[in-house]
Structures are given as structure tokens and as C-alpha cells.
Amino acid sequence: MNRIRKSIILTIAAALWLASCKNDKYLDITPDGRVSLNDVFTDAQNTESYLNTVYNYLPFGGIYYHYYEFLAAFTDDAQSSDAPTQAGFAATEWYSGSLTPSKNPLYTGNYPTNNGNRYERNWEGIRKVNTFLANIDKAAVKNESNRASMKAEARVLRAFFYSRLIRKYGGMPIIKEPLSPEYDFSTLKRNTFQECVDFIVEDCNAALAEANFTWRRVSTADAGRMTKAVAEALKTQVTLYAASPLWNKTNDAALWQKAAVTAKTALEDLLANGYQLYNNYGEFFENSPDDGANPKDKETILVSRAFGAQYPLNMLVLRMASVLNADKAGSCPTQELVDTYDMDNGEMAITGYSDADHMHPIINPASGYDDANPYVHRDPRFYATVWYNNAYYGKVNGADYYIGAYKGGNVGISNTRQRTHTGYYLRKYKAPEDQSNNSGNESFRFIRLAEVYLSYAEAENEAVGPDQNVYSAINAIRRRVGMPDLPAGLSKDDMRERIRRERRVEMPYEEIRFYDERRWKILDKSEKVTTGMSWTKNADGTFSNERIVVDRRKTWEDKYLILPIPLDEINKMPSFEQNPGW
């Protein structure tokens, strides 16, 4: 653990209180006409406006990791084209093992519109919520139902901020009230992970019990706001994490049972309130959620606030096959991700590797998979997610265009940042016609219904084994894309493997894999090496291929399971303990 500077007595709570006061117009107590904090809550419009400002502390997600990367680039699902040539960029630093308590590559590009210092931003959000909740009962409001709804909304916001803190850093102090600078911060201690989970669940349950709080937002202006659906999903996420190997060190069956019951209730409530899987997997990601009480998209639970013209443009220019002279190839799928997709007959294509470098896949002979012709008859989600060599792209300047990811091809594999290093480009989120027209309507979803299905399947399997409820949940996801049901008679261990694979191919690039790798404690298996497929075009027009090692990362040790608390914050809090290994 880092040596603590005893002379520093402020804690993160005080620092954030002071920092946010500087920049909050409602907290400036000056004689120039602006209102004080007390004045805010004597005006109904200002009361609502104060709650609205809390949303400024939510992350954007998606490509807003430096430099315009998905969080997937920091998992074995993707390899950034910035590494290794772009020194100082987030992915290059991450892969080289540069994470320390004083330097977190994920926080490179520390701007509010990026995913910069989320540790600090989450605490700022919590402080704002606590201030709101401390005043709302006596605040001026339009009516009592509005007061009740805003109070519930604030509690879900606090649950969201806490959930994002603990899944990266472990247990945090549970702070329910605004803290003044006079508070004795030297005594502030961390609560356990489970205590934080219980607190998040408590906030979510309070919001769910409020009759005036909504299940769905129905206007574009309210996109990305908290709802009862978000509360159900957050409960499902955090109880699943608490039951997982990282935090459930004794494999306590009661924690799995609690996670299963929580997920089942969430799924039933969401379905009863109009949520359902979107009928077209690929199309779902190419558009933003629509408005209205009966939208076409009934699957999205929480969408990022980063939407509008700029987000689709960035998605195009900064992470695409260079058909339109993109600035970079971006977060390119790895061979490991590609190998996870089943064949369309429902059989696993590749069950593992016989060597540490993943050069020799273990092929399931019942699948029909051929490593020399690997892209035929795969799960439809593969084609909706990955551009691969010789894939038909669409029309470009009126002519048919095929992805030439082979050496020397039109978007051929190379070590430059404009080209894939793995032999693949990301297809998900951007329709070819939108790429060609430099347009689009996509946005990033933090939570959707499919995750709740899969979380329920996982928790139920761990709690009671692969019963019919497990099969029903996971098969609902597979049927949506036309995949066969899982075979009957799977063992608990076999079902666990199938569920983990299903999570990976259903939700790549959705900020799920980063935390799954950690809560399952599989970094030593998943993060040591990433590979790709190098293709050569032969004289007769055919292609030959070979698997290649793309990168050997230094992010697989156990200390990377829980990220280090920033050194500046540890130094401010004498009673805090740094996370293991840091």
C-alpha cells in the first residue's frame, strides 16, 4: 500500500464538495443576483433544475474512452489500432501495464464529455444527490406527485453512481447525507462490497415502491433519465456481482439464490411493464431508441446521453474500416471474440485452445467448422458485429465493395492506426448505408433487457442448476436471432460455459465484458494474449490464412481484478486502505 501523507486531512468528500461548489451556479452565495443553495429549493423550477444537473455526472460510454475507444478495447474482445504506435494513448498505456494508483489509462482525456476521471465524477454525482434528498421534502414543487417522483429518481441516480464505483474499486463509504467541510474526514472508512450492494438495493426498492415514478421515458428530452426499469436492472447487476467469484469468496449459495430471485423479479416486472426483446438484433444497434408510450424499441432500459449528430459522426470516422478514409480503425475485434460465436446449427465451433498463444484451436468436430473457411454458417450475431476478410460491405460509389482485410487489400491488415491489426473491423453500431452517406442515428445503450435475461440465467444456474427457467431465459436470447435452443441435459458446469459464451456474443462492445472478466476472475486466462487472422490473396484469387499473435498484454495479474483507488484520494483519507496489489 502506498505511504499515506498524514499531513493531508481532507477526504474525497470534502474535496468534491468544495470543487463542485465552485462550479455550481446554485451554490454561489454572492450579491450579484444569483441564488444560494437555500434559495434553490424555494422555487419549483429551480428544484427540478437542480436534479437535472445531477445528470451532468453520468458517463457517456460508447466510444468516449481515449482516443475514441470502446471499453472493449481494454478487454480480450478488441484490440486498439492505436497500440503500439501511439505512445501515451489509453490503449497503448493499458496494454503495457502502466496502470498505477497515480496513473489510470482509462482516465486519459479527462473531460466531462469523455469517460475521464469517473472516480471523482461519481462522487460528485453522489454529493449532488445527497444534497437534493436532504432538501426535497421541504422544497417547493409543482405538486406532491412530482416531489415523490423526483425523490425516487434521485435515489436511482445515487444507486447508479454507487454501482459504477464499486464494480471498479470495491466497497466504498456509504454516505447518505451532505457532508460539510467541518466533518472529521480522517475517520471515514470503506464499507464492504456487500454493504454497498445492500445500500444500492435499498435505494432501488424505495424508488420501485413509489407509484408516481415511471417505468419508461416517452420523450427525446427525457432520454437517458432514470426509471423503475433502471432500478430493476441495477439491482440485478449488483446482486449478480456480489454472488460472483470475485466477491463471493466462499461461493455462498445464498448469494446466488438472492441474485436469482432478484433477476427473476426484475425480468417479470420488466416484461409486465412492456419491455421486450427487439426483433432485429443488428438493426437495434444502428438506431437510437424511439419515443412514445408504445415505442418500436422496447428493449432499451438506459441509453447514454451522448446522442445526436456528433456521436454517429465520431462512430464513423474514428472506429471503422477505412472505406471512407477514417482517422483510425479503432477497437477491432479479436480472434478470441470471433472464435466464441457458435455455428448456426447451434454447436460451438471452437471450445478452447491447446496452446498458450491460441494458435491451435480445439475444433468441435460436430460443428462443421473449418479453420480455413471460418466465416460461413456462423451465429447471425457474428455478421451483425464483425467485418471480416472478403465480407460484402455494400455499394461504394455505385460499385460492390468487399472488405479486403488481407495483406495489401483495400483495408488490409497492418500495424498502422488506420488499419486493423487483427484482420477484423467492427460492424456493430453502423449500417453500411450510413457509412457511405456519412450519416446515422445510433446511440450507446448502457442497459438493455437482454442483459437481465442472461443475468437471470447465470444466477439461476449457479443457485439451482440448469433447470427449465435457465433454458427458457437463455433460449429467448438465442431465438431472437434464429439460433437453435441449447441442447437438453447440460450439466451445471456445461451450462455455465454456455451462458458465459452467450453473454460475450450477445453483448460485445457494451461495457459488459470488462466486468465479467473480473467478477469471474479469469484475467489470467483471457488477458495474456490477443490474436487475429492474417489473410493472403493467392494468384488464383483464393485466400489462405494463418492465426497470428497481435499483442501480449500485461494486465492479467490478480491485482487488475480491482482497480487502484487514485493515489490523490488515498493520500487524503488516512483511514482508507488501497486495493490489493497496489
Side-chain angles (χ1 to χ4, degrees):
M1 189 177 85
N2 293 291
R3 185 171 299 173
I4 298 172
R5 297 200 304 264
K6 297 295 185 180
S7 61
I8 300 178
I9 61 173
L10 292 178
T11 68
I12 185 171
L16 295 179
W17 192 91
L18 293 170
S20 57
C21 285
K22 280 193 308 187
N23 299 313
D24 193 330
K25 68 178 181 180
Y26 293 121
L27 300 184
D28 288 334
I29 304 176
T30 62
D32 62 1
R34 288 178 290 178
V35 296
S36 69
L37 178 60
N38 290 333
D39 293 332
V40 169
F41 295 104
T42 60
D43 179 88
Q45 182 175 348
N46 283 347
T47 297
E48 289 191 21
S49 295
Y50 188 92
L51 181 60
N52 290 342
T53 65
V54 179
Y55 283 90
N56 294 333
Y57 300 99
L58 294 180
F60 276 4
I63 56 169
Y64 289 115
Y65 293 86
H66 190 266
Y67 170 67
Y68 292 98
E69 296 285 0
F70 286 91
L71 188 59
F74 305 90
T75 76
D76 61 341
D77 276 356
Q79 179 76 18
S80 170
S81 66
D82 282 341
T85 59
Q86 302 300 307
F89 281 39
T92 306
E93 295 292 314
W94 184 268
Y95 299 160
S96 65
S98 294
L99 174 65
T100 69
S102 59
K103 178 183 179 182
N104 188 337
L106 289 179
Y107 293 164
T108 302
N110 185 16
Y111 307 104
T113 54
N114 267 351
N115 288 320
N117 191 347
R118 298 314 314 171
Y119 185 88
E120 180 178 332
R121 299 286 289 175
N122 282 318
W123 277 116
E124 289 172 342
I126 290 167
R127 184 202 63 80
K128 296 267 299 190
V129 170
N130 287 343
T131 300
F132 180 85
L133 289 174
N135 288 276
I136 185 59
D137 286 340
K138 297 180 181 179
V141 294
K142 293 177 181 177
N143 52 61
E144 288 306 309
S145 63
N146 183 246
R147 186 195 311 277
S149 178
M150 288 193 294
K151 190 173 182 178
E153 183 177 357
R155 296 191 75 161
V156 181
L157 276 163
R158 184 167 64 183
F160 182 90
F161 291 127
Y162 263 106
S163 73
R164 268 44 193 171
L165 274 172
I166 68 171
R167 68 180 185 175
K168 271 196 179 84
Y169 302 104
M172 290 282 114
I174 295 175
I175 302 174
K176 303 180 182 181
E177 304 289 340
L179 299 181
S180 73
E182 289 75 33
Y183 180 82
D184 184 5
F185 299 117
S186 66
T187 64
L188 193 64
K189 297 182 183 295
R190 300 175 68 175
N191 288 81
T192 67
F193 188 88
Q194 186 61 56
E195 287 169 341
C196 291
V197 167
D198 292 341
F199 178 55
I200 291 167
V201 170
E202 176 187 325
D203 263 349
C204 290
N205 283 340
L208 288 164
E210 177 49 60
N212 294 290
F213 193 39
T214 187
W215 279 94
R216 186 189 298 279
R217 301 292 179 175
V218 298
S219 71
T220 300
D222 286 335
R225 294 187 75 102
M226 299 297 129
T227 61
K228 285 187 175 183
V230 177
E232 292 281 22
L234 289 177
K235 286 173 56 180
T236 300
Q237 284 182 345
V238 298
T239 55
L240 182 70
Y241 290 169
S244 299
L246 178 60
W247 299 110
N248 185 5
K249 300 184 188 307
T250 63
N251 197 27
D252 184 352
L255 291 178
W256 283 115
Q257 184 63 36
K258 181 178 181 179
V261 170
T262 300
K264 181 179 182 181
T265 300
L267 185 57
E268 290 173 346
D269 287 349
L270 288 164
L271 294 175
N273 284 279
Y275 285 84
Q276 64 186 51
L277 297 175
Y278 195 90
N279 63 4
N280 186 312
Y281 178 85
E283 180 183 271
F284 176 75
F285 299 103
E286 295 166 3
N287 296 285
S288 293
D290 50 329
D291 307 328
N294 187 33
K296 181 178 181 180
D297 173 10
K298 297 182 176 69
E299 181 170 351
T300 297
I301 293 174
L302 182 65
V303 67
S304 169
R305 297 176 301 112
F307 57 91
Q310 189 61 39
Y311 189 76
L313 178 62
N314 289 340
M315 290 280 285
L316 171 68
V317 176
L318 296 161
R319 31 74 58 210
M320 291 307 307
S322 303
V323 175
L324 298 174
N325 298 315
D327 182 63
K328 59 183 284 186
S331 308
C332 296
T334 62
Q335 189 62 46
E336 284 74 22
L337 174 61
V338 171
D339 287 344
T340 309
Y341 288 92
D342 287 351
M343 302 298 285
D344 62 11
N345 59 13
E347 293 281 351
M348 290 188 292
I350 293 168
T351 60
Y353 307 95
S354 61
D355 67 309
D357 283 347
H358 301 178
M359 294 294 98
H360 303 289
I362 301 171
I363 297 172
N364 173 14
S367 69
Y369 174 82
D370 177 6
D371 207 42
N373 192 24
Y375 309 134
V376 298
H377 301 301
R378 303 299 291 270
D379 183 325
R381 289 171 291 190
F382 167 71
Y383 303 108
T385 304
V386 179
W387 288 123
Y388 53 92
N389 185 58
N390 209 36
Y392 179 63
Y393 179 88
K395 296 285 187 180
V396 174
N397 298 324
D400 289 336
Y401 192 96
Y402 292 84
I403 296 293
Y406 60 90
K407 288 180 285 188
N410 51 27
V411 288
I413 187 172
S414 81
N415 230 18
T416 66
R417 71 191 308 238
Q418 288 77 29
R419 296 288 186 267
T420 176
H421 301 180
T422 65
Y424 303 102
Y425 293 91
L426 181 61
R427 163 69 174 83
K428 187 174 180 176
Y429 295 110
K430 190 59 105 172
E433 58 269 23
D434 289 340
Q435 296 167 32
S436 299
N437 296 326
N438 196 24
S439 63
N441 184 42
E442 68 277 3
S443 58
F444 184 80
R445 288 143 169 105
F446 283 115
I447 311 173
R448 58 189 178 94
L449 183 63
E451 181 186 349
V452 181
Y453 270 105
L454 291 169
S455 295
Y456 174 47
E458 180 179 352
E460 180 77 359
N461 183 59
E462 298 298 336
V464 301
D467 63 8
Q468 187 54 50
N469 290 325
V470 176
Y471 275 95
S472 294
I474 198 166
N475 285 338
I477 299 298
R478 292 171 67 85
R479 289 173 184 175
R480 186 252 294 271
V481 294
M483 285 293 289
D485 289 351
L486 290 181
L490 293 175
S491 68
K492 183 176 183 177
D493 289 346
D494 288 341
M495 179 60 82
R496 179 186 302 118
E497 172 66 15
R498 297 305 292 258
I499 291 170
R500 290 186 177 188
R501 294 170 73 98
E502 199 71 23
R503 285 180 70 89
R504 191 173 187 183
V505 302
E506 173 67 23
M507 300 183 291
Y509 290 80
E510 297 181 47
E511 304 198 357
I512 301 295
R513 180 70 177 175
F514 186 87
Y515 301 103
D516 281 352
E517 286 182 299
R518 284 160 173 76
R519 68 183 181 87
W520 292 333
K521 299 183 70 173
I522 62 170
L523 290 180
D524 60 333
K525 301 177 179 63
S526 64
E527 283 294 315
K528 287 186 176 181
V529 62
T530 54
T531 65
M533 190 75 82
S534 178
W535 290 88
T536 300
K537 190 170 186 178
N538 303 314
D540 61 359
T542 61
F543 295 96
S544 56
N545 66 329
E546 63 174 338
R547 290 171 178 257
I548 57 170
V549 171
V550 176
D551 199 5
R552 301 185 191 277
R553 299 181 182 175
K554 298 179 180 179
T555 52
W556 56 269
E557 296 176 281
D558 279 354
K559 68 177 184 177
Y560 289 93
L561 294 170
I562 311 171
L563 302 191
I565 296 173
L567 182 61
D568 286 348
E569 309 306 336
I570 284 288
N571 285 339
K572 294 169 187 173
M573 295 173 286
S575 295
F576 254 44
E577 292 183 2
Q578 181 57 277
N579 284 328
W582 301 105

